[in-house]
Amino acid sequence: MMKPGRLFWKLFLAFWLATSLTFLVGLGILVLGNFGPGDPHLQAILASEKQLLEQYGVESGRQLLTVWEHPDDQAIGVYDPAGQLLAGSPVPHPAYERSVISKEGVALSLRSSQSPGNAGDRGPGRSIPLIIGTLMSALFSGYLAYYLAWPLAYLRRAMSDVAQGRFETRVKPMMGGRRDEIVDLAEDCDRMANQLKLLVQAQQHLLHDISHELRSPLTRMQAAIGLLQQDPARQEMVGRIERESVRMDTLIEALLTLARVQGRPDSIEREPLDIIELLVGIVEDAQFEAAMKGCRVSLQACPAFVSRVSGELLYRCFENVIRNAVRYTRPGTTVVVSAEVNPDTQCLRVRITDQGPGVVSERLQSIFHPFERGVNEACAGFGLGLAIAARAVEMHGGTISARNEPAGGLTVEINLPGLVWSLHEITLA
């Protein structure tokens, strides 16, 4: 069950206030009605007096008013057309007056110092409190509707702008000083717009880099083909064309791999895999390339660490990082690959440390971006290996980072969380 937020309490208090005001106004109408004249006994006496005058005449009416013991503030009198009192008590300032035709056919006036309180005798002023209460309720409801509707209108307009590609649109500054869930939604919309802007920019930058990387080998292949057409005897151009086609094929394969790892984490197929065993195979393969430089690759690993992962993606991840370390380490040095389990988080921490020149501090984050290469490394690969490794680690919920060692060299650290299973559990499964 969700905890009530600020917007809930605002709505609750607003509705409560409107309901309370309506109730108080209704109660006020009842109280004001009770203060007015409305004695049912007085009403009965007036009705009886009117009936006696009409059916039996003035004398009968006089007898009723004579025997009626009325309070001091209540007086009833019967007057003739000349204003002479015929029966009852004097009523100099009548609050109630009714014309009656007596049995004798005389037009008489029945007066009372207080009104009997008939609903039909109440004036239009009695409905004023009800009108005021209705207007107050309408004002509060209108304010509440405006308070809720105008930020949503801004949100809708902002989302329309974002849908049209105007990613610089921001909603939160329009909200003023309010603090509730609508402002939180505005912040999320602003973050979404900023993230979309970054993704579009990254996509445009990536397309630009891809077109550049593909254009270079194509240009060299076209030049080699042109030279071969001019002089068919220049067979070395065939080798040049073959090398450039292989380079293009490698680039396209790397781009396809990068496109795969850009997908959703739940789109990859996972299976139980011993990551330490995977590292052992990669290190053995890297030894051949390292031996050509007079270098070594050593593995310092913990016992088996089994997790549910994508073996293909992690293989490419570790292979790219380790081969990158072998490429830049100095001749005669050792690339150290260490793997250990963090006892607190139960994550596998893999470090790959070379003895090379390291990386400029400003590039420690950007080396994981596609096509990121150093100034003097234009021909050293395509700059996609570490980008593929970074995305593969992210898809498994892990982290990857790089740092320069004080004694020289670069360390790439990979942390992989584990849904870790022991070998005994795997065997039972």
Side-chain angles (χ1 to χ4, degrees), residues 95-145:
Y96 171 85
E97 184 173 2
R98 178 68 61 86
S99 296
V100 179
I101 304 299
S102 67
K103 182 180 179 183
E104 297 83 4
V106 180
L108 303 177
S109 177
L110 180 61
R111 300 178 184 178
S112 173
S113 60
Q114 288 189 4
S115 172
N118 292 332
D121 295 333
R122 296 185 179 181
R126 300 301 180 113
S127 61
I128 291 178
L130 182 60
I131 296 175
I132 293 176
T134 304
L135 291 176
M136 292 177 65
S137 178
L139 289 175
F140 274 105
S141 300
Y143 172 76
L144 182 62

Side-chain angles (χ1 to χ4, degrees), residues 17-19 24 33 47 69 80 89 105 152 157 161 169 175 193 198 201 212 282 288 290 295 302 338 344:
L17 180 60
T19 306
L24 291 175
E69 296 180 358
D80 61 12
S89 304
L152 297 179
R157 187 185 309 168
D161 291 341
T169 302
M175 297 297 171
L198 295 177
Q201 290 178 347
H212 174 75
I282 296 174
F288 293 99
C295 303
C302 61
S338 64
D344 298 329

Side-chain angles (χ1 to χ4, degrees), residues 9 85 92 102 154 169 194 200 213-214 224 243 256 259 282 328 359:
W9 291 113
L85 181 63
S102 67
Y154 279 126
T169 302
N194 186 64
V200 170
E213 292 293 337
L214 289 175
R243 288 194 301 272
L256 291 175
I282 296 174
Y328 290 103
V359 175

Side-chain angles (χ1 to χ4, degrees), residues 11 35 44 63 95 177 192 210 248 311 349 369 404 419 428-429:
L11 291 173
F35 282 135
Q63 292 177 5
M192 180 191 69
I210 290 175
M248 286 187 62
R349 180 166 53 202
H369 297 168
N404 290 313
L419 297 166
L428 293 179

Side-chain angles (χ1 to χ4, degrees), residues 282-298 322-323 325-327 329-335:
I282 296 174
V283 169
E284 290 179 355
D285 292 339
Q287 286 280 16
F288 293 99
E289 184 176 348
M292 299 176 61
K293 288 185 60 175
C295 303
R296 294 180 60 253
V297 180
S298 68
I322 293 174
R323 290 186 63 186
V326 171
R327 180 183 305 163
T329 195
R330 294 190 301 272
T333 59
T334 300
V335 174

